[in-house]
């Protein structure tokens, strides 16, 4: 089992209480007296081991960790055990826990699903065309639900209505004004033109009038769903119950994909989401996901896998304050940052640094070289050229996220190394949110979950959730609008973005999966569908 002496990315300074007992000057009453030479030698050996264990891990150091958990002997090799929240529902539109929502792609499929480059691959859609930036026309495949009924355009339109009203999918569908049946096609109308909009159409498809309403929560015990109030889907598995009444996911033999080796998935009820990874370690189930939202990097005694997400970490800049009103001043600050070092110091191996607002793996960025070199001397020169004399800025960060605090510390050290004084303002959640919302900052460290289509509307469009301090009518925002209309290439947008520097993209935070030893599964995982290749999983 590998553990790191870390607090989200920075080695904590040890106190006397952190050292082994043999290294302290006092001993318990009645303890055997160790000869000084042997005691010193033992201390040196133990301290060396502690220091070796406390080194900052590299990417190779943490992938994967060596597990000690072996699947329970009573499990058959064609069975998989997954956790689910027993006080929640297994309905994708009403599930309120991440653990249940992550199970949805096993049972319900969507029009599209993102591949490793985040390109929308057709699933229930057979093809689509986009005659204008604000309209999509989708042709459906011939597919059947688990009950044998054919999937129709009316089912898609109904499911869209349920998804748009659900907090689980409303953000990604906020740009869709209407979806309707047009002959045998599905017509999608957008509020703002977006040539990447198909990626956001990944909501579950259920039969018309089958999603029901959110069930009443029971005060004690029991499950909050039944087979009768859970809509059917088209996925590789369907919800079933065994003879003892326990819920399982059974292989849907009518699915066109290859039959999985794991034909049955047992659902193991959990009550505390914080203990999900521990459940894999002790053998309660075989697989669990942690979004690492808290900023802590847990030490797990199971095989760990990194999971790509759409959570963008960025440095917010208040373009309405002082020197930061000038684009060249914002560019000088951005140029002083070694972004790869910032993300590693904050998130260790669980981050993907980026030199653009989009991840390096995004399909629209393929074939282009989007990197920004870091040079301290040039950074100092840029700061002088921008007219920044003894510059000093407040950097606001949320207190109880160790990864973000450590990233902020790295930012501060790098900027101070080139003559920019940084006052680190560490706030609790309420004070942090108030400061950002009211623009009471020079700089702030933030993160936001983007849609599957990587819409930057929250940062660059009027009314966006993270536009405070950003000129949404500036050159970068205008270039972004043109990019979404297909009028600019990603390379042209990249240049316009860094000429304006509305904010500094740092990278994409990753999540973690803990899996049982012996479970063979793909190394590359995406939060949007952790089970995309489950047909190939086996023990």
């Amino acid at each position: 089992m590998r553990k790191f002496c870390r607090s989200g990315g920075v080695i904590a300074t040890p106190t006397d209480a952190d050292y082994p007992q043999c290294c302290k000057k006092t001993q318990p009453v009645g303890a055997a007296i160790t000869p000084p030479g042997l005691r010193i030698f033992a201390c040196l050996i133990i301290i060396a081991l502690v220091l070796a264990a406390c080194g900052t891990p590299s990417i190779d150091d943490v992938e994967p960790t060596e597990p000690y958990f072996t699947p329970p002997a009573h499990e058959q090799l064609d069975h998989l055990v997954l956790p689910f929240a027993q006080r929640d529902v297994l309905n994708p539109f009403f599930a309120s826990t991440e653990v249940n929502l992550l199970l949805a792609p096993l049972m319900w499929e969507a029009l599209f699903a993102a591949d490793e480059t985040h390109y929308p691959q057709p699933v229930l859609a057979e093809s689509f065309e986009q005659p204008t930036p604000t309209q999509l026309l989708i042709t459906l495949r011939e597919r059947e639900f688990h009950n044998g009924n054919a999937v129709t355009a009316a089912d898609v339109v109904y499911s869209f209505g349920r998804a748009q009203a659900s907090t689980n999918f409303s953000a990604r569908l906020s740009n869709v004004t209407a979806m309707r049946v047009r002959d045998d096609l599905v017509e999608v109308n957008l509020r703002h033109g977006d040539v990447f909009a198909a990626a956001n159409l990944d909501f579950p498809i259920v039969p018309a009038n089958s999603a029901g309403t959110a069930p009443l929560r029971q005060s004690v015990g029991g499950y909050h769903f039944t087979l009768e109030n859970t809509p059917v889907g088209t996925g590789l598995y369907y919800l079933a119950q065994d003879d003892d009444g326990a819920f399982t996911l059974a292989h849907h033999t009518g699915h066109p994909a290859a039959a999985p080796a794991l034909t049955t998935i047992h659902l193991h009820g959990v009550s505390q989401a914080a203990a999900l990874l521990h459940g894999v370690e002790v053998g309660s189930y075989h697989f669990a996901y942690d979004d690492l939202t808290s900023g802590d990097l847990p030490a797990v005694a199971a095989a760990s896998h990194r999971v790509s997400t759409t959570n963008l970490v960025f440095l917010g800049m208040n373009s309405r304050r002082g020197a930061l009103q000038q684009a060249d001043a914002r560019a000088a600050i951005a140029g002083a940052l070694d972004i790869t070092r910032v993300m590693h110091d904050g998130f260790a191996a669980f981050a993907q640094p980026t030199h653009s607002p989009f991840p390096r793996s995004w399909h629209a960025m393929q074939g282009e070289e989007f990197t920004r070199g870091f040079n301290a001397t040039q950074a100092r020169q840029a700061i002088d050229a921008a007219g920044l004399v003894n510059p000093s800025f407040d950097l606001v960060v949320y207190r109880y996220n160790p990864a973000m605090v450590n990233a902020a510390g790295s930012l501060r050290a790098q900027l101070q190394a080139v003559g920019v004084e940084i006052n680190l303002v560490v706030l609790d959640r309420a004070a942090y949110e108030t400061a950002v919302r009211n623009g009471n900052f020079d700089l702030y460290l933030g993160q936001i979950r983007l849609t599957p289509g990587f819409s930057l509307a929250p940062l660059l469009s009027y009314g966006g959730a993270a536009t405070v301090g950003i000129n949404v009518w500036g050159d970068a925002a205008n270039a972004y609008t043109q990019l979404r209309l297909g009028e600019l290439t990603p390379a042209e947008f990249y240049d316009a973005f860094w000429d304006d520097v509305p904010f500094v993209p740092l990278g994409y935070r990753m999540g973690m999966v803990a899996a049982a030893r012996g479970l063979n599964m793909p190394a590359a995982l995406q939060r949007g569908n952790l089970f995309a290749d489950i047909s190939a999983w086996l023990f």
Side-chain angles (χ1 to χ4, degrees), residues 171 174-175 192 194 200 358 448-451 453-468 470 472 477 480-481 484 503:
S174 60
N175 191 36
H192 305 291
D194 186 359
N200 295 323
F358 306 112
I448 189 168
R449 178 178 291 176
L450 301 181
T451 66
F454 293 99
S455 170
L456 297 180
L459 289 150
L460 293 178
S461 296
Y462 178 76
T467 57
V468 177
I470 294 176
V472 296
Y480 171 70
T481 298
R484 289 285 165 173
F503 61 90

Side-chain angles (χ1 to χ4, degrees), residues 7 45 62 65 88 90 95 126 154 163 173 268 316 396 448 456 512:
S7 177
I45 292 297
V62 297
T65 54
D88 192 16
L90 274 180
E126 180 175 332
L173 297 174
H268 178 89
V396 174
I448 189 168
L456 297 180
M512 172 192 287

Side-chain angles (χ1 to χ4, degrees), residues 226-475:
T226 64
L227 294 181
E228 289 72 25
N229 68 16
T230 302
V232 298
T234 60
L236 190 60
Y237 296 86
Y238 63 92
L239 184 65
Q241 279 182 287
D242 62 20
D243 295 338
D244 297 323
F247 287 99
T248 64
L249 301 182
H251 172 225
H252 173 42
T253 56
H255 196 279
L262 304 174
T263 57
T264 302
I265 297 176
H266 295 281
L267 300 180
H268 178 89
V270 296
S271 58
Q272 294 183 346
L276 279 175
L277 299 185
H278 179 65
V280 179
E281 295 177 339
V282 300
S284 298
Y285 35 81
H286 301 119
F287 180 98
Y289 173 73
D290 188 331
D291 199 51
L292 303 182
T293 303
S294 66
D296 288 314
L297 179 59
V300 296
S304 62
H305 303 263
R306 294 193 299 275
V307 179
S308 63
T309 73
T310 60
N311 292 287
L312 174 64
V313 180
F314 63 94
L315 177 65
M317 310 179 81
N318 196 337
S319 63
R320 297 181 177 90
R321 270 195 178 187
L324 293 176
Q325 297 178 74
Q326 306 302 319
D328 56 352
R330 298 193 299 271
I333 297 297
L337 300 176
D338 182 344
I339 289 173
T340 299
R341 173 51 56 187
V342 170
M343 292 303 288
H344 181 268
D345 288 346
F347 300 88
F350 290 87
Q352 294 175 321
T354 182
H355 294 277
S356 86
F358 306 112
R360 291 177 295 179
S361 58
W362 192 38
H363 65 91
M365 309 285 280
Q366 302 304 303
E368 301 282 356
E369 185 64 29
F370 297 102
T371 57
R372 289 168 55 83
F374 167 74
N375 184 294
T377 300
Q378 292 178 359
R380 284 180 179 272
Q381 294 172 349
I383 289 170
D384 292 338
L388 297 177
V389 180
N390 299 321
S392 177
F393 302 102
D394 289 344
L395 172 56
V396 174
V397 65
Y398 171 50
R399 179 187 304 277
Y400 298 110
N401 188 303
M404 296 292 278
V405 170
N406 291 331
S410 181
L411 283 165
R412 179 176 183 266
Q414 292 184 36
L415 289 172
Q416 294 197 155
V418 294
V420 179
E421 184 65 27
I422 295 295
N423 175 34
L424 204 57
V425 182
V426 185
L427 304 174
D428 62 25
R429 180 178 295 278
Y432 170 82
E433 292 177 350
T434 299
V436 173
R437 182 173 58 251
N438 295 337
N440 296 327
F441 63 88
D442 297 318
L443 309 170
Y444 79 95
L445 198 59
Q447 58 179 311
I448 189 168
R449 178 178 291 176
L450 301 181
T451 66
F454 293 99
S455 170
L456 297 180
L459 289 150
L460 293 178
S461 296
Y462 178 76
T467 57
V468 177
I470 294 176
N471 180 7
V472 296
W473 313 114
D475 292 341

Side-chain angles (χ1 to χ4, degrees), residues 51-264:
L51 292 177
C54 293
T56 301
S58 67
I59 291 178
D60 292 336
D61 289 334
V62 297
E63 182 194 22
T65 54
E66 179 62 27
Y68 66 73
F69 167 61
T70 301
H74 67 274
E75 294 290 351
Q76 300 179 26
L77 295 183
D78 62 348
H79 288 188
L80 180 70
V81 183
L82 296 178
F84 81 107
Q86 57 189 13
R87 300 296 300 275
D88 192 16
V89 296
L90 274 180
N91 183 318
F93 305 114
F94 302 114
S96 60
T97 57
E98 183 176 54
V99 63
N100 282 13
L101 190 59
L102 291 173
L103 295 173
L106 290 168
M107 294 169 276
W108 297 280
E109 293 175 311
L111 293 171
F112 301 94
D115 62 16
E116 63 276 5
T117 69
H118 308 283
Y119 184 82
Q121 294 292 347
V123 181
L124 294 184
E126 180 175 332
S127 62
F128 77 98
E129 58 177 314
Q130 196 162 0
T132 71
T134 59
Q135 184 189 56
L136 290 86
L137 297 175
I138 301 171
T139 301
L140 298 179
R141 295 184 190 277
E142 292 185 2
R143 289 289 299 277
E144 293 182 350
F145 290 109
H146 297 147
N147 60 9
N149 293 338
V151 177
T152 68
D155 298 321
V156 174
V157 171
Y158 168 79
S159 301
F160 162 73
R162 304 307 304 176
Q164 196 173 44
S166 167
T167 56
N168 295 330
F169 303 97
S170 58
R172 69 194 64 188
L173 297 174
S174 60
N175 191 36
V176 181
T177 58
M179 186 176 291
R180 59 177 61 91
V181 178
R182 178 175 167 180
D183 298 327
D184 292 330
L185 305 178
V186 175
E187 179 183 347
V188 181
N189 298 116
L190 307 177
R191 180 175 291 103
H192 305 291
D194 186 359
V195 296
F196 306 109
N200 295 323
L201 303 180
D202 64 344
F203 56 91
I205 305 300
V206 302
N209 304 313
S210 70
T213 58
L216 297 176
R217 296 194 174 279
Q218 301 175 17
S219 58
V220 292
Y223 300 134
H224 293 275
F225 61 91
T226 64
L227 294 181
E228 289 72 25
N229 68 16
T230 302
V232 298
T234 60
L236 190 60
Y237 296 86
Y238 63 92
L239 184 65
Q241 279 182 287
D242 62 20
D243 295 338
D244 297 323
F247 287 99
T248 64
L249 301 182
H251 172 225
H252 173 42
T253 56
H255 196 279
L262 304 174
T263 57
T264 302

